[in-house]
Amino acid sequence: MNPSAHIAFRVAAAFVALGLGGALIAAIVGLVLTNVGPAASASLSLCTKDGVVPAGGKDYLAQNNVWNAETPQCITVGDQSLRIDSAAHDVSPEGAPAATPSLLKGCHWQDCTDVGDLPVQVSAMPRVTSDWITSQVDTGVFNAAYVVWFHSGPVADGTPDGAEMVIWLRSRGGVRPGGVMLAREVQISDARWNVWLARDQGRVRITYERVGEATAVRDLDISAFTGDSVGRGLVSPDWYLIAVEAGFNLWRGGAGNAIENFSVSVDDQKPRRALGTSAPTPCFAALSVEETWTGGFRAVVEVTNVGDSPVQGWTLDWTFPDGQHVEKASVGQVTQSGSSVRVVGAAREGVLEPGKSTSFDVVGSGVSPGIVSITCTPA
């Protein structure tokens, strides 16, 4: 990482914390950046697993980012563009991907671009939008997704401690978002999205999975996704948006996928809008079908305390998609009206501590329900 770039980003972050505007920050950053090194005006090859290089000018970086495998990968980096030349990965789609080659604006761990319009605080976020054009192959196992990082302060010295917000545009090979589905077909930025929630390394990961695949987006409203996550209590208004990345998660193969163009715009000319306060999200629940037979199924429902204080009991509400009916459950009280199910339960040990989970079985009649969105309300 270019030392001047890192210093410039930290200077910008400090003035964001003081409430200074983007134009003044940009001017100050210009004074700091006396020796930023050459921009990637011509294409170059990058094969080192953790290699990071400029991607056209000072505002974007490219990262090879082979982080969960030892297999080789090479990319070609151009002006706000990236192409995967070779990728020999073969890891299970059930786990984490082998690599995430991507372009970024902002600060990914200690690698920072030379811009003054990021970070921005969530509580006073301007309109943040992005254009992203890709070309994608029809072989291998991968997805194409944004990752937006949030941190408690303006700059993360290590792993961001806020949230990881994923905007999932397309996948191949059967991979799906991890965690539990919170909502179906939510309308954001001129498209519909299924919303997923997971916990990873102590961090919240919110995934917006597009209904209907896309290989290109224009004027994607990242601030609108942020507002939705704030409203769900998953992103704090006190946090900072520190980076926007766009790239490919690769499980198997991936050569031939490319980013033709990527850009992020932070509109400081329009009035900033308050995104409100976050509502509590103390628990969530997921239903997984374990067995099926003609006319019936057995599922496991897992309840997790994602709040900061112990939970003694909860109420779960869900709607079966195809008229399934609960025949019995290894939990206190179950009621069903039509397709709507309500389960009232309690922790087996008296309380469910923060970060802990418990589960119970449900035996039902009808076809397998697949993915079921559950609302969990603590007692």
Side-chain angles (χ1 to χ4, degrees), residues 272-284:
R272 293 172 180 258
R273 52 176 178 159
L275 293 184
T277 58
S278 53
T281 307
C283 66
F284 73 79

Side-chain angles (χ1 to χ4, degrees), residues 339-354:
S339 294
S340 299
V341 179
R342 169 162 288 188
V343 175
V344 178
R348 293 172 182 171
E349 298 79 13
V351 296
L352 189 62
E353 298 292 340

Side-chain angles (χ1 to χ4, degrees), residues 44-289:
L44 56 88
S45 180
L46 182 64
C47 296
T48 53
K49 63 183 298 184
D50 56 354
V52 178
V53 296
K58 302 176 294 183
D59 293 347
Y60 298 90
L61 292 176
Q63 52 184 357
N64 203 23
N65 204 16
V66 182
W67 58 274
N68 190 40
E70 298 301 325
T71 39
Q73 174 179 292
C74 289
I75 61 175
T76 295
V77 179
D79 187 1
Q80 293 173 232
S81 65
L82 178 155
R83 181 174 297 277
I84 303 170
D85 299 318
S86 61
H89 312 306
D90 188 7
V91 301
S92 171
E94 301 299 321
T100 311
S102 62
L103 298 180
L104 72 96
K105 183 172 186 175
C107 207
H108 178 98
W109 279 241
Q110 284 81 24
D111 295 314
C112 302
T113 59
D114 304 344
V115 293
D117 49 8
L118 290 179
V120 294
Q121 193 165 26
V122 173
S123 62
M125 181 174 286
R127 190 166 187 264
V128 181
T129 59
S130 177
D131 294 346
W132 185 21
I133 302 171
T134 73
S135 57
Q136 300 180 26
V137 298
D138 287 323
T139 59
V141 179
F142 64 88
N143 77 357
Y146 284 87
V147 181
V148 182
W149 294 100
F150 297 91
H151 188 57
S152 59
V155 175
D157 286 325
T159 304
D161 60 10
E164 175 186 359
M165 187 174 77
V166 179
I167 305 173
W168 181 307
L169 299 184
R170 180 179 183 262
S171 65
R172 190 193 180 282
V175 291
R176 297 297 301 272
V180 57
M181 184 184 288
L182 296 181
R184 294 177 182 269
E185 301 197 9
V186 177
Q187 187 75 26
I188 305 175
S189 193
D190 299 325
R192 291 171 294 131
W193 310 82
N194 295 329
V195 186
W196 298 74
L197 173 65
R199 289 265 175 175
D200 185 21
Q201 301 179 20
R203 216 176 26 240
V204 168
R205 181 172 69 246
I206 315 107
T207 300
Y208 293 87
E209 177 194 25
R210 186 181 174 108
V211 179
E213 298 179 336
T215 59
V217 290
R218 296 189 182 277
D219 204 32
L220 186 77
D221 193 347
I222 292 169
S223 46
F225 289 93
T226 303
D228 183 83
S229 289
V230 170
R232 297 179 189 277
L234 304 175
V235 169
S236 169
D238 295 332
W239 291 347
Y240 290 81
L241 189 163
I242 63 169
V244 178
E245 302 179 13
F248 302 96
N249 288 301
L250 306 180
W251 282 265
R252 291 175 180 158
N257 286 311
I259 299 173
E260 305 295 345
N261 184 261
F262 168 65
S263 63
V264 177
S265 300
V266 180
D267 192 350
D268 275 328
Q269 302 305 311
K270 292 186 177 180
R272 293 172 180 258
R273 52 176 178 159
L275 293 184
T277 58
S278 53
T281 307
C283 66
F284 73 79
L287 184 150
S288 302
V289 176

Side-chain angles (χ1 to χ4, degrees), residues 320-335:
F320 277 129
D322 296 303
Q324 294 88 347
H325 192 274
V326 175
E327 299 299 328
K328 64 178 180 178
S330 58
V331 71
Q333 180 183 348
V334 180
T335 57

